[in-house]
Amino acid sequence: MPVVSTLAIQKATVTSGTFRNEVRARSGTDARESTTMLQLEGVSKRYGDLEALHELSLSVRDGEIFGFVGANGAGKTTTMRVVLGVLEADAGSVLWNGAEITFALRRRIGYIPEDRGLYPKMTVLAQLDYFGQLHGMRRREARASALALLERLGLADRGASQLQALSHGNQQRVQLAAALVFAPDLLVLDEPFAGLDPVAVDAMSEVLRAQADEGRPVVVSSHQLDIVERLCDRVGIINHGQMVATGTVTELTDRGPLRFWVDVPGAAAGWYDGIPGVTLVEQDGTRWLLELADAASEQSILTKALTIGPVHEFRRDRPALSQLFRDVMSETAIK
């Protein structure tokens, strides 16, 4: 019986979200092929006796969506406000393309605050015009950009409506349009998906991916880790003002136990006995979740399974980002 390669089986069973992340990682969003645009180096910030940020460092590359996650009070919003210049760091530096960020550069940041900043009684189109001109656009340029964005976001027929007349999801789309109307160089979004239904999440995600594909760095803070896992190229986890883990979803989840799901319909209990370093974690019908002490046992498991009969699945089991996050928060995670 021919031996089926691990790679072939993994390709056949990989989920679409993981596949998209891995394709992006291979096709041009790694450090070798992109430029670090936004960089924080050793940033610290205190509020009296409370140290909100402690020597925090992170980098965001051109054309990538960076997910910034942490528990309430971890320091996410403080970090964003330091980047925007709303708060001044007590120590450390914020760099843009290798140089100290300036006020002029900060005017080129598209920002969605957690507490929304639009005018409820103002019409949608009027305030997009206003925000565009506030960032230096001519009125005609601002109007053209606003109309194009409303069309793209499915709000072409709501330009004359007051913001307060729109649903929460559509108000969020207008907030995104306000951040994009002046074609910013960087997007910083604090909880942009809060309260959105799946359709609105998909629409906003598509726009953010398009922005990154055009070369803009995008920073997204969110508690909705399933969205972060699907959307972001890299993720940083902050805890008590410190960055405790950074990497692609695949890189982060690789740090968990080495486990494989094996579906062998003809296998009897204990069929894996005798393979060094292999223990059973869980059985689900004909599927077996096995933990390996090291990668050396991987091919041994597959070879043994193939001697029993057809192998319907052989797939690396990776913990979800939500599980990784819980591990970090409980101080049992990644070192």
Side-chain angles (χ1 to χ4, degrees):
M1 178 181 297
V3 176
V4 180
S5 73
T6 305
L7 181 59
I9 295 178
Q10 286 176 321
K11 282 182 177 179
T13 57
V14 73
T15 65
S16 59
T18 303
F19 178 74
R20 285 194 298 273
N21 286 336
E22 291 175 347
V23 168
R24 287 202 297 269
R26 292 195 299 268
S27 64
T29 54
D30 62 26
R32 294 168 297 177
E33 299 179 10
S34 58
T35 302
T36 296
M37 298 304 295
L38 176 66
Q39 188 167 3
L40 277 67
E41 295 183 344
V43 172
S44 296
K45 178 65 183 176
R46 277 189 174 275
Y47 300 104
D49 294 333
L50 174 65
E51 188 175 36
L53 300 177
H54 178 72
E55 297 181 357
L56 183 139
S57 297
L58 65 84
S59 62
V60 186
R61 305 162 186 161
D62 59 329
E64 85 168 346
I65 302 178
F66 184 86
F68 193 38
V69 302
N72 290 329
K76 303 184 300 298
T77 298
T78 296
T79 301
M80 291 182 170
R81 289 175 176 172
V82 168
V83 170
L84 292 160
V86 176
L87 295 174
E88 184 177 353
D90 299 326
S93 57
V94 180
L95 307 177
W96 178 257
N97 200 16
E100 287 282 345
I101 195 166
T102 64
F103 173 76
L105 288 170
R106 284 183 163 118
R107 288 192 67 191
R108 301 296 307 157
I109 298 176
Y111 178 48
I112 294 183
E114 185 174 8
D115 298 322
R116 303 301 176 234
L118 299 181
Y119 302 99
K121 295 185 178 181
M122 196 173 182
T123 68
V124 169
L125 194 54
Q127 56 189 314
L128 293 182
D129 284 348
Y130 169 71
F131 280 108
Q133 293 175 75
L134 193 64
H135 285 272
M137 300 180 81
R138 295 179 183 274
R139 180 177 175 81
R140 181 177 297 179
E141 295 172 335
R143 174 58 60 92
S145 178
L147 290 172
L149 281 166
L150 291 178
E151 180 73 32
R152 190 173 187 179
L153 290 166
L155 296 173
D157 60 340
R158 304 309 299 268
S161 301
Q162 289 187 346
L163 184 77
Q164 63 186 1
L166 273 59
S167 67
H168 176 77
N170 282 340
Q171 289 186 32
Q172 291 281 75
R173 296 187 198 202
V174 175
Q175 184 79 60
L176 179 59
L180 292 174
V181 68
F182 61 98
D185 296 329
L186 166 68
L187 279 173
V188 176
L189 314 177
D190 197 354
E191 296 292 342
F193 304 107
L196 297 188
D197 62 49
V199 173
V201 167
D202 289 345
M204 186 172 287
S205 297
E206 288 176 7
V207 172
L208 296 183
R209 173 48 55 193
Q211 294 297 310
D213 289 344
E214 291 174 6
R216 291 184 182 87
V218 180
V219 180
V220 176
S221 169
S222 179
H223 286 108
Q224 293 161 278
L225 299 184
D226 57 327
I227 300 174
V228 172
E229 186 167 0
R230 294 195 310 268
L231 176 65
C232 296
D233 301 301
R234 288 193 305 133
V235 176
I237 301 177
I238 184 174
N239 192 21
H240 298 300
Q242 295 179 288
M243 191 67 74
V244 293
T246 309
T248 66
V249 172
T250 300
E251 288 169 346
L252 292 175
T253 55
D254 267 348
R255 304 186 192 191
L258 184 60
R259 294 175 174 176
F260 281 83
W261 279 105
V262 189
D263 187 350
V264 193
W271 63 268
Y272 49 84
D273 288 344
I275 304 175
V278 175
T279 56
L280 176 66
V281 177
E282 179 184 344
Q283 182 183 355
D284 178 17
T286 63
R287 301 171 71 240
W288 309 73
L289 180 59
L290 303 176
E291 184 166 318
L292 287 62
D294 56 59
S297 303
E298 179 181 333
Q299 285 295 329
S300 298
I301 292 174
L302 181 58
T303 301
K304 179 65 176 291
L306 287 167
T307 65
I308 299 170
V311 177
H312 292 180
E313 179 184 18
F314 187 73
R315 175 177 59 85
R316 172 75 184 271
D317 180 69
R318 300 179 189 275
L321 183 61
S322 56
Q323 181 59 54
L324 182 78
F325 179 81
R326 283 191 289 269
D327 290 343
V328 170
M329 295 302 107
S330 62
E331 301 181 352
T332 63
I334 326 168
K335 302 289 184 183

